[in-house]
């Protein structure tokens, strides 16, 4: 089938769950689409869904050549396959039949440097390229995701009308914007996922404290999270958490959540986020704590052995002792406030990482616009993202969300409850590494003077790394060991 015979305005290669759903979304919005997959049964399955869901304008092609030639020029082809080598293989298969000015759009969770390499390779063949983050899972892909395209602006212009129609729609527009050059779209999606790691960890800690210190049932937890989802914590993750507590186990008594093995999987974007934070010297302790917890969760057998070994050594559970003196109503409200304040710190860390990378790569990221496109469709969508958007509109050079006047007031108002929750959890032996990391971040960031002066003195002592003084300019080195023993102050100034 050639372009003269086919009305396909866009193509999509890769028909696993995300690809199928995005293709159906595009077709449903009135854009005739050609679809292709190496496994032909996936093509038939997708076409069947298109027929069942309203005889949608979708055309299956069973070879890479027929697929490419069936799309109107200039062609735009979305690839939704597993990141890494499969993307390169799919690009090789379709680009062979593409013409100068055509566009390839990778919609996977790709490492941003791979996108930058593919951009250069595409340009050498006269092709345009976008690396596009797609958030929202299978439901988002089908009914409206948050889209984060970066790369060639001309490529974005070619598909802007499609992307704006298929993206989630919120009160101030579709949840898509041109992110920036190079791998900006993939990097932003990576940090989005890092924030998501932090968010999920913090919610799990709130659950842990309420269940084990507060003694709340799953029914009570469902009710509490439902209530929270009607206030400042309104978000996709809080909403689905409430739902999870309501689901009964079909194979045994009780609720399903209690039967799930406490080992967390991961795809790698959280690890990349923490690695990039380290590379850029940006503190992201909440996100790092959430990653560490996923690693520790994987050590199920070791944790069970540790529990036994420490019990044998005389370790006793403190939860019951602490639970006896807890005011449940106050605890619930304290946990709500602690969760909110901790989440703001997690988002602040993500935004600061984006700012550092934007500065390094000259991407000129618009942080208010990023918060806006995360308001719908994506996993971290939350009502306070609108307020984050407004914070960056008030001050595009905001150093941290924590010091935005509106958020600063809220952090101050919530800090007493936050400290009570963390202190109570510690005394009960319940680990809250995300909340602790957020609180430590807040407390460190707000202090005008830190004990880093001692660390710098130690560095100068053992490594002659020098130090600066608070009362005069220049770099200084001291012979610490000699002077400590002599008690004779003599400092060599280095200018």
């Amino acid at each position: 089938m050639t372009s003269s015979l086919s009305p396909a305005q866009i193509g999509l290669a890769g028909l696993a769950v995300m690809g199928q759903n995005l293709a159906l979304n595009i077709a449903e919005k009135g854009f005739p689409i050609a679809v292709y997959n190496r496994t032909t049964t996936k093509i038939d399955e997708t076409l069947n869904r298109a027929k069942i869901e309203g005889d949608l304008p979708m055309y299956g092609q069973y070879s890479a050549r027929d697929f490419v030639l069936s799309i109107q020029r200039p062609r735009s082809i979305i690839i939704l396959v597993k990141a890494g080598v499969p993307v390169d293989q799919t690009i090789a298969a379709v680009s062979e039949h593409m013409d100068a000015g055509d566009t390839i759009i990778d919609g996977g969770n790709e490492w941003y440097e791979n996108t930058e390499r593919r951009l250069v390779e595409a340009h050498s063949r006269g092709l345009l390229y976008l690396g596009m983050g797609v958030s929202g899972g299978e439901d988002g892909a089908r009914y409206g995701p948050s889209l984060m395209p970066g790369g060639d602006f001309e490529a974005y212009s070619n598909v802007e009308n499609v992307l704006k129609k298929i993206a989630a729609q919120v009160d101030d527009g579709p949840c898509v914007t041109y992110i920036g050059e190079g791998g900006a779209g993939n990097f932003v999606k990576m940090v989005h996922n890092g924030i998501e790691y932090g968010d999920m960890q913090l919610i799990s800690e709130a659950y842990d404290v309420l269940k084990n210190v507060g003694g709340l049932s799953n029914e009570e937890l469902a009710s509490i999270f439902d209530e929270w989802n009607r206030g400042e914590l309104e978000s996709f993750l809080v909403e689905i958490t409430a739902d999870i507590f309501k689901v009964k186990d079909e194979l045994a008594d009780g609720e399903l959540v209690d039967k799930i093995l406490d080992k967390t999987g991961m795809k790698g974007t959280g690890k990349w986020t923490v690695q990039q934070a380290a590379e850029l010297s940006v503190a992201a302790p909440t996100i790092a704590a959430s990653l560490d917890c996923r690693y520790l969760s994987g050590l199920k057998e070791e944790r069970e052995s540790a529990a036994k070994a420490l019990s044998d050594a005389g370790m006793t559970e403190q939860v019951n002792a602490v639970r006896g003196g807890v005011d449940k109503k106050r605890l619930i409200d304290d946990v709500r406030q602690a969760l909110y304040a901790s989440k703001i710190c997690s988002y602040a860390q993500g935004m600061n990482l984006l700012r550092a990378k934007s500065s390094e790569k000259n991407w000129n990221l618009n942080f208010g616009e990023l918060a806006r496109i995360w308001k719908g469709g994506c996993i971290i969508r939350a009502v306070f993202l609108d307020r984050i958007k407004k914070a960056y509109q008030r001050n595009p050079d905001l150093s941290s969300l924590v010091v935005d006047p509106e958020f600063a007031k809220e952090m101050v108002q919530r800090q007493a409850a936050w400290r009570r929750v963390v202190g109570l959890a510690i005394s009960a032996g319940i680990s809250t590494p995300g909340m602790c990391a957020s609180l430590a971040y807040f407390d460190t960031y707000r202090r005008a003077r830190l004990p880093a002066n001692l660390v710098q003195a130690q560095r100068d002592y053992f490594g002659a790394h020098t130090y600066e003084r608070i009362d005069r300019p220049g770099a200084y080195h001291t012979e610490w060991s000699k002077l400590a023993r002599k008690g004779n102050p003599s400092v060599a100034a280095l200018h």
Side-chain angles (χ1 to χ4, degrees):
M1 197 180 287
T2 66
S3 57
S4 61
L5 299 174
S6 171
Q9 292 180 23
I10 192 167
L12 190 146
L15 297 173
V17 173
M18 287 291 286
Q20 271 194 28
N21 282 304
L22 197 66
L24 290 164
N25 183 356
I26 292 168
E28 188 177 60
K29 298 302 189 295
F31 301 101
I33 183 170
V35 295
Y36 168 71
N37 196 81
R38 281 198 307 176
T39 310
T40 58
T41 53
K42 287 286 184 188
I43 302 173
D44 296 333
E45 186 184 305
T46 310
L47 292 175
N48 189 46
R49 282 188 65 188
K51 188 168 183 60
I52 291 168
E53 295 187 24
D55 220 4
L56 303 175
M58 186 179 290
Y59 308 91
Q61 301 295 343
Y62 294 85
S63 75
R65 180 180 180 277
D66 290 347
F67 167 64
V68 174
L69 297 181
S70 73
I71 303 163
Q72 294 172 15
R73 297 175 61 186
R75 304 179 184 95
S76 294
I77 293 174
I78 299 171
I79 294 172
L80 265 170
V81 298
K82 191 177 177 184
V85 174
V87 177
D88 290 310
Q89 291 171 337
T90 308
I91 289 172
V94 298
S95 63
E96 186 182 341
H97 310 290
M98 296 174 78
D99 299 311
D102 289 351
T103 294
I104 295 170
I105 304 164
D106 174 21
N109 272 334
E110 189 55 272
W111 174 237
Y112 83 100
E113 288 182 341
N114 284 342
T115 295
E116 301 200 325
R117 166 178 61 79
R118 290 175 188 140
L119 260 164
V120 173
E121 292 167 359
H123 290 173
S124 72
R125 306 183 70 155
L127 302 175
L128 302 174
Y129 198 88
L130 286 177
M132 182 171 72
V134 179
S135 180
E138 56 184 283
D139 273 3
R142 180 63 185 86
Y143 300 109
S146 175
L147 300 171
M148 294 155 251
D152 290 312
F153 184 73
E154 186 183 346
Y156 174 71
S157 299
N158 288 343
V159 291
E160 184 177 15
N161 62 327
V162 177
L163 299 184
K164 284 187 169 179
K165 279 274 174 62
I166 67 169
Q169 308 292 317
V170 291
D171 57 354
D172 47 7
C175 292
V176 60
T177 191
Y178 174 71
I179 301 294
E181 296 177 355
N186 291 117
F187 194 91
V188 166
K189 174 58 163 58
M190 176 199 78
V191 174
H192 162 287
N193 286 21
I195 294 170
E196 180 185 309
Y197 272 52
D199 240 355
M200 294 170 76
Q201 176 63 30
L202 292 167
I203 290 170
S204 76
E205 291 173 16
Y207 154 64
D208 199 6
V209 171
L210 291 173
K211 178 184 178 182
N212 289 302
V213 181
L216 274 70
S217 67
N218 289 327
E219 187 180 354
E220 289 173 306
L221 287 164
S223 174
I224 288 160
F225 275 83
D226 270 335
E227 185 183 335
W228 287 356
N229 197 48
R230 292 190 289 272
E232 63 189 9
L233 287 170
E234 182 187 330
S235 63
F236 174 69
L237 286 170
V238 168
E239 178 187 335
I240 68 168
T241 301
D243 285 347
I244 286 166
F245 292 127
K246 298 169 188 171
V247 174
K248 299 291 183 187
D249 186 358
E250 294 180 342
L251 304 177
D253 292 336
E255 285 78 31
L256 179 57
V257 68
D258 295 326
K259 311 297 193 317
I260 296 174
L261 184 67
D262 52 323
K263 285 173 71 170
T264 308
M266 66 192 92
K267 293 283 184 71
T269 45
K271 180 174 78 172
W272 292 347
T273 304
V274 173
Q275 287 172 331
Q276 280 294 296
E279 289 281 335
L280 292 162
S281 302
V282 173
T286 311
I287 299 170
S290 71
L291 185 66
D292 287 340
C293 280
R294 293 198 183 195
Y295 294 148
L296 284 165
S297 78
L299 305 177
K300 176 66 172 175
E301 291 177 3
E302 284 185 41
R303 288 187 287 114
E304 288 177 335
S305 297
K308 184 177 185 311
L310 291 165
S311 176
D312 291 346
M315 183 88 184
T316 56
E317 285 294 346
Q318 301 298 312
V319 172
N320 291 334
V322 171
R323 187 189 290 180
V326 165
D327 177 337
K328 271 170 62 164
K329 190 174 180 185
R330 182 180 178 185
L331 177 66
I332 292 164
D333 193 58
D334 279 357
V335 171
R336 174 185 60 78
Q337 295 187 65
L339 178 57
Y340 183 83
S342 297
K343 278 162 69 85
I344 295 302
C345 286
S346 185
Y347 280 73
Q349 292 159 31
M351 288 299 195
N352 286 353
L353 176 53
L354 289 172
R355 187 180 60 173
K357 196 67 176 182
S358 180
S359 176
E360 179 193 81
K361 303 284 284 185
N362 293 316
W363 282 337
N364 198 27
L365 296 180
N366 182 330
F367 308 112
E369 185 68 352
L370 295 183
R372 186 193 71 76
I373 67 167
W374 289 345
K375 281 168 58 179
C378 71
I379 304 301
I380 64 170
R381 62 184 182 265
V383 71
F384 66 63
L385 276 161
D386 191 58
R387 302 179 54 228
I388 292 176
K389 178 193 82 169
K390 287 172 180 166
Y392 282 106
Q393 285 177 337
R394 283 192 291 272
N395 180 7
D397 298 318
L398 186 65
S399 59
S400 173
L401 287 173
V402 171
V403 296
D404 169 75
E406 297 295 317
F407 284 119
K409 273 186 216 159
E410 294 190 336
M411 300 295 276
V412 171
Q413 287 165 359
R414 284 157 181 73
Q415 63 157 341
W418 196 5
R419 294 181 199 287
R420 283 196 295 270
V421 170
V422 168
L424 192 65
I426 289 170
S427 62
I430 300 285
S431 58
T432 51
M435 286 187 182
C436 285
S438 282
L439 182 56
Y441 176 81
F442 174 74
D443 279 338
T444 304
Y445 190 70
R446 70 180 178 80
R447 290 184 66 195
R449 184 161 173 83
L450 294 170
N453 55 316
L454 179 58
V455 175
Q456 198 58 18
Q458 292 168 335
R459 293 181 73 243
D460 188 53
Y461 191 120
F462 65 68
H465 291 294
T466 78
Y467 57 89
E468 295 175 87
R469 293 178 59 99
I470 58 173
D471 56 352
R472 60 196 67 195
Y476 296 82
H477 170 59
T478 294
E479 297 290 337
W480 296 92
S481 59
K482 289 180 187 174
L483 297 178
R485 287 164 181 76
K486 286 182 183 175
N488 178 24
S490 170
V491 178
L494 304 176
H495 296 288

